[in-house]
PDB file of all heavy atoms in Angstrom:
ATOM      1  N   SER A 116       8.554 -15.518 -22.667  1.00  0.00           N
ATOM      2  CA  SER A 116       9.532 -15.716 -21.583  1.00  0.00           C
ATOM      3  C   SER A 116       9.271 -17.034 -20.840  1.00  0.00           C
ATOM      4  O   SER A 116       8.180 -17.621 -20.981  1.00  0.00           O
ATOM      5  CB  SER A 116       9.420 -14.590 -20.523  1.00  0.00           C
ATOM      6  OG  SER A 116       8.142 -14.579 -19.847  1.00  0.00           O
ATOM      7  N   ALA A 117      10.257 -17.557 -20.193  1.00  0.00           N
ATOM      8  CA  ALA A 117      10.134 -18.789 -19.490  1.00  0.00           C
ATOM      9  C   ALA A 117      10.647 -18.677 -18.073  1.00  0.00           C
ATOM     10  O   ALA A 117      11.461 -17.857 -17.785  1.00  0.00           O
ATOM     11  CB  ALA A 117      10.943 -19.845 -20.280  1.00  0.00           C
ATOM     12  N   LEU A 118      10.059 -19.499 -17.224  1.00  0.00           N
ATOM     13  CA  LEU A 118      10.515 -19.571 -15.807  1.00  0.00           C
ATOM     14  C   LEU A 118      11.271 -20.916 -15.640  1.00  0.00           C
ATOM     15  O   LEU A 118      10.701 -22.010 -15.834  1.00  0.00           O
ATOM     16  CB  LEU A 118       9.270 -19.542 -14.860  1.00  0.00           C
ATOM     17  CG  LEU A 118       9.631 -19.797 -13.393  1.00  0.00           C
ATOM     18  CD1 LEU A 118      10.564 -18.686 -12.854  1.00  0.00           C
ATOM     19  CD2 LEU A 118       8.293 -19.860 -12.563  1.00  0.00           C
ATOM     20  N   ILE A 119      12.505 -20.829 -15.321  1.00  0.00           N
ATOM     21  CA  ILE A 119      13.324 -22.014 -15.040  1.00  0.00           C
ATOM     22  C   ILE A 119      13.412 -22.230 -13.563  1.00  0.00           C
ATOM     23  O   ILE A 119      14.075 -21.448 -12.900  1.00  0.00           O
ATOM     24  CB  ILE A 119      14.766 -21.887 -15.664  1.00  0.00           C
ATOM     25  CG1 ILE A 119      14.682 -21.355 -17.089  1.00  0.00           C
ATOM     26  CG2 ILE A 119      15.470 -23.221 -15.549  1.00  0.00           C
ATOM     27  CD1 ILE A 119      13.912 -22.282 -18.041  1.00  0.00           C
ATOM     28  N   ILE A 120      12.749 -23.261 -13.062  1.00  0.00           N
ATOM     29  CA  ILE A 120      12.736 -23.555 -11.668  1.00  0.00           C
ATOM     30  C   ILE A 120      13.769 -24.503 -11.223  1.00  0.00           C
ATOM     31  O   ILE A 120      13.873 -25.652 -11.841  1.00  0.00           O
ATOM     32  CB  ILE A 120      11.342 -24.060 -11.196  1.00  0.00           C
ATOM     33  CG1 ILE A 120      10.253 -23.106 -11.511  1.00  0.00           C
ATOM     34  CG2 ILE A 120      11.390 -24.392  -9.688  1.00  0.00           C
ATOM     35  CD1 ILE A 120       8.851 -23.622 -11.286  1.00  0.00           C
ATOM     36  N   ALA A 121      14.706 -24.141 -10.362  1.00  0.00           N
ATOM     37  CA  ALA A 121      15.764 -25.036  -9.915  1.00  0.00           C
ATOM     38  C   ALA A 121      15.542 -25.308  -8.468  1.00  0.00           C
ATOM     39  O   ALA A 121      15.626 -24.491  -7.568  1.00  0.00           O
ATOM     40  CB  ALA A 121      17.185 -24.346 -10.133  1.00  0.00           C
ATOM     41  N   LEU A 122      15.195 -26.592  -8.201  1.00  0.00           N
ATOM     42  CA  LEU A 122      14.834 -27.036  -6.786  1.00  0.00           C
ATOM     43  C   LEU A 122      16.025 -27.757  -6.154  1.00  0.00           C
ATOM     44  O   LEU A 122      16.544 -28.817  -6.687  1.00  0.00           O
ATOM     45  CB  LEU A 122      13.590 -27.929  -6.811  1.00  0.00           C
ATOM     46  CG  LEU A 122      13.171 -28.530  -5.519  1.00  0.00           C
ATOM     47  CD1 LEU A 122      12.706 -27.416  -4.583  1.00  0.00           C
ATOM     48  CD2 LEU A 122      11.998 -29.494  -5.791  1.00  0.00           C
ATOM     49  N   ASP A 123      16.443 -27.293  -5.021  1.00  0.00           N
ATOM     50  CA  ASP A 123      17.491 -27.873  -4.239  1.00  0.00           C
ATOM     51  C   ASP A 123      16.950 -29.089  -3.506  1.00  0.00           C
ATOM     52  O   ASP A 123      16.048 -28.928  -2.675  1.00  0.00           O
ATOM     53  CB  ASP A 123      18.106 -26.836  -3.335  1.00  0.00           C
ATOM     54  CG  ASP A 123      19.361 -27.360  -2.558  1.00  0.00           C
ATOM     55  OD1 ASP A 123      19.646 -28.551  -2.692  1.00  0.00           O
ATOM     56  OD2 ASP A 123      19.951 -26.538  -1.794  1.00  0.00           O
ATOM     57  N   VAL A 124      17.540 -30.303  -3.720  1.00  0.00           N
ATOM     58  CA  VAL A 124      17.085 -31.464  -2.946  1.00  0.00           C
ATOM     59  C   VAL A 124      18.233 -32.023  -2.109  1.00  0.00           C
ATOM     60  O   VAL A 124      18.288 -33.220  -1.821  1.00  0.00           O
ATOM     61  CB  VAL A 124      16.606 -32.587  -3.942  1.00  0.00           C
ATOM     62  CG1 VAL A 124      15.367 -32.069  -4.689  1.00  0.00           C
ATOM     63  CG2 VAL A 124      17.668 -33.001  -4.940  1.00  0.00           C
ATOM     64  N   SER A 125      19.180 -31.152  -1.701  1.00  0.00           N
ATOM     65  CA  SER A 125      20.264 -31.589  -0.843  1.00  0.00           C
ATOM     66  C   SER A 125      19.744 -31.941   0.505  1.00  0.00           C
ATOM     67  O   SER A 125      18.593 -31.686   0.910  1.00  0.00           O
ATOM     68  CB  SER A 125      21.324 -30.516  -0.787  1.00  0.00           C
ATOM     69  OG  SER A 125      20.784 -29.368  -0.179  1.00  0.00           O
ATOM     70  N   SER A 126      20.585 -32.530   1.328  1.00  0.00           N
ATOM     71  CA  SER A 126      20.214 -33.119   2.634  1.00  0.00           C
ATOM     72  C   SER A 126      19.684 -31.963   3.588  1.00  0.00           C
ATOM     73  O   SER A 126      18.798 -32.271   4.351  1.00  0.00           O
ATOM     74  CB  SER A 126      21.417 -33.801   3.274  1.00  0.00           C
ATOM     75  OG  SER A 126      22.539 -32.858   3.382  1.00  0.00           O
ATOM     76  N   SER A 127      20.247 -30.777   3.426  1.00  0.00           N
ATOM     77  CA  SER A 127      19.714 -29.695   4.320  1.00  0.00           C
ATOM     78  C   SER A 127      18.285 -29.283   4.104  1.00  0.00           C
ATOM     79  O   SER A 127      17.649 -28.717   4.956  1.00  0.00           O
ATOM     80  CB  SER A 127      20.631 -28.461   4.212  1.00  0.00           C
ATOM     81  OG  SER A 127      20.544 -27.959   2.930  1.00  0.00           O
ATOM     82  N   MET A 128      17.774 -29.628   2.925  1.00  0.00           N
ATOM     83  CA  MET A 128      16.383 -29.330   2.577  1.00  0.00           C
ATOM     84  C   MET A 128      15.386 -30.262   3.352  1.00  0.00           C
ATOM     85  O   MET A 128      14.195 -30.051   3.324  1.00  0.00           O
ATOM     86  CB  MET A 128      16.177 -29.403   1.138  1.00  0.00           C
ATOM     87  CG  MET A 128      16.814 -28.281   0.311  1.00  0.00           C
ATOM     88  SD  MET A 128      16.077 -26.610   0.590  1.00  0.00           S
ATOM     89  CE  MET A 128      14.563 -26.760  -0.250  1.00  0.00           C
TER      90      MET A 128
END
Side-chain angles (χ1 to χ4, degrees):
S116 67
L118 173 64
I119 313 300
I120 301 174
L122 178 62
D123 186 353
V124 296
S125 61
S126 57
S127 62
M128 290 292 286

